[in-house]
Amino acid sequence: MRSEVLARRGRAGGRAAVIAAPVAVWLAIGGSARAQTADYSPVGSIGLGARGGPAAEAPIRAGPAPGRAAGPVEFSFRAGFASDYIYRGTTLSDRKPAFGAAFEAAFGLAYVGATITSVRMPSQPAAEVTVSGGLRPKLGSIAFDFSWNYFLYPNEKQVIEATHMNYWEVIARADTKIGDVLRVAAGFAYAPNVSNSGSWSKYAAFGMAVDLPGAMLPPDVTATLTGGAGYSWFGNQPAASGGYPFPSYLTWNAGVTFTHGRVNLDLRYYDTNLSRENCFVLTGDPNAARGGRIDPVTNPEGLASRWCSATVVAKLWFALN
């Protein structure tokens, strides 16, 4: 996750908060490199708290593309557009469109990758840049993905005494098939200093996917129904920033991914159980409105944000492997 000191800290009685915003796309548990083996369906990778942005649900194969001999290094690239950038239930693009691209090189079990995605966050960085690396071993029918991810936010504007949001996160993920049509996945992520806030973050998630029968679809089109749920919780901030933890919360999503050749379209519903007041505490939304429930410690002005409410997102991207 990513967090950031509130742009309105002075108005909020000197209290600080952070924006939960690891905005990397594509590579992993809901964003960073996906555990995806060559015998899995090429569509509908299960999102476990996807980092949002274009092609966030696109799978990255652990083997060569079908019909092609394996080489010493396998490359993949994707780029696309999303109507909103959702990360673990919260928008990272202020409910506006986002664009992004990702590149990965895999050699055997190991891989490295990089992504860049447009964002609209309180500190106004130029983009989010992610550098990732990891291993994708397989044990029986279970495909694992162990990754390390570093998130950078270039050209941020300084917010109070904050310097930058750059931070790193480690992720473990496992995918497997049950029967002929059902796929399941589970994952866990940990960041010791999320968004450089002084607070640790943990995230656990579970998801499922079912490939639709080809008889239900037009020729050369494949489709997968996917859904998932995750839970985020945090450690305390430093005393100088208030000393309280960011609000823990549950998020969930459900949708369908269509693929025709190299083109992919995902239509998805996202939601969380965060109140609008706790959404402001978590995100630091600069457009939050007064009139919410007042908390003398975390939200003394009763500011309320819509950045964590229910939404439907369309994503369109192309992938090269």
Side-chain angles (χ1 to χ4, degrees), residues 80-118:
F81 160 90
S83 61
D84 194 356
Y85 191 143
I86 302 296
Y87 167 70
R88 295 175 188 171
T90 68
T91 179
L92 300 178
S93 61
D94 191 20
R95 299 299 187 199
K96 295 177 176 63
F99 302 85
F103 171 82
E104 182 186 279
F107 4 86
L109 300 179
Y111 65 87
V112 295
T115 71
I116 182 169
T117 308
S118 63

Side-chain angles (χ1 to χ4, degrees), residues 16 22 46 66 99 204 311:
I46 300 169
F99 302 85
T311 188

Side-chain angles (χ1 to χ4, degrees), residues 247-295:
S248 58
Y249 69 100
L250 181 69
T251 182
W252 56 93
N253 74 86
V256 59
T257 306
F258 299 94
T259 295
H260 177 69
R262 302 184 189 279
V263 180
N264 305 269
L265 172 65
D266 184 81
L267 304 174
R268 190 159 303 275
Y269 170 84
Y270 296 92
D271 202 357
T272 77
N273 68 344
L274 280 165
S275 67
R276 291 183 179 179
E277 295 84 358
N278 277 342
C279 183
F280 170 74
V281 174
L282 183 69
T283 66
D285 176 5
N287 301 313
R290 296 176 182 271
R293 180 172 48 86
I294 291 175
D295 185 304

Side-chain angles (χ1 to χ4, degrees), residues 118-158:
S118 63
V119 293
R120 292 174 180 264
M121 303 169 72
S123 64
Q124 301 178 40
E128 180 184 80
V129 179
T130 307
V131 178
S132 303
L135 297 172
R136 295 196 189 105
K138 188 174 181 182
L139 179 62
S141 63
I142 303 176
F144 294 93
D145 189 333
F146 303 104
S147 65
W148 178 89
N149 311 275
Y150 189 72
F151 310 111
L152 303 95
Y153 298 89
N155 298 326
E156 288 183 272
K157 291 186 178 180
Q158 187 167 345

Side-chain angles (χ1 to χ4, degrees), residues 39-243:
D39 57 339
Y40 281 173
S41 165
V43 298
S45 179
I46 300 169
L48 301 181
R51 285 189 167 85
E57 310 299 329
I60 294 178
R61 293 185 178 87
R68 218 178 69 204
V73 182
E74 292 293 324
F75 297 98
S76 65
F77 173 81
R78 59 186 45 80
F81 160 90
S83 61
D84 194 356
Y85 191 143
I86 302 296
Y87 167 70
R88 295 175 188 171
T90 68
T91 179
L92 300 178
S93 61
D94 191 20
R95 299 299 187 199
K96 295 177 176 63
F99 302 85
F103 171 82
E104 182 186 279
F107 4 86
L109 300 179
Y111 65 87
V112 295
T115 71
I116 182 169
T117 308
S118 63
V119 293
R120 292 174 180 264
M121 303 169 72
S123 64
Q124 301 178 40
E128 180 184 80
V129 179
T130 307
V131 178
S132 303
L135 297 172
R136 295 196 189 105
K138 188 174 181 182
L139 179 62
S141 63
I142 303 176
F144 294 93
D145 189 333
F146 303 104
S147 65
W148 178 89
N149 311 275
Y150 189 72
F151 310 111
L152 303 95
Y153 298 89
N155 298 326
E156 288 183 272
K157 291 186 178 180
Q158 187 167 345
V159 181
I160 311 302
E161 75 279 4
T163 55
H164 60 76
M165 292 194 304
N166 302 350
Y167 76 102
W168 59 270
E169 183 178 61
V170 291
I171 298 166
R173 175 182 173 124
D175 290 62
T176 192
K177 294 182 73 172
I178 300 177
D180 294 331
V181 297
L182 178 64
R183 289 178 282 134
V184 297
F188 180 80
Y190 170 74
N193 185 14
V194 62
S195 296
N196 196 31
S197 66
S199 168
W200 54 257
S201 72
K202 297 178 183 179
Y203 180 78
F206 175 80
M208 296 184 294
V210 176
D211 296 329
L212 295 179
M216 299 175 58
L217 303 165
D220 301 321
V221 174
T222 55
T224 302
L225 297 173
T226 58
Y231 187 75
S232 295
W233 68 105
F234 307 88
N236 291 346
Q237 300 175 80
S241 297

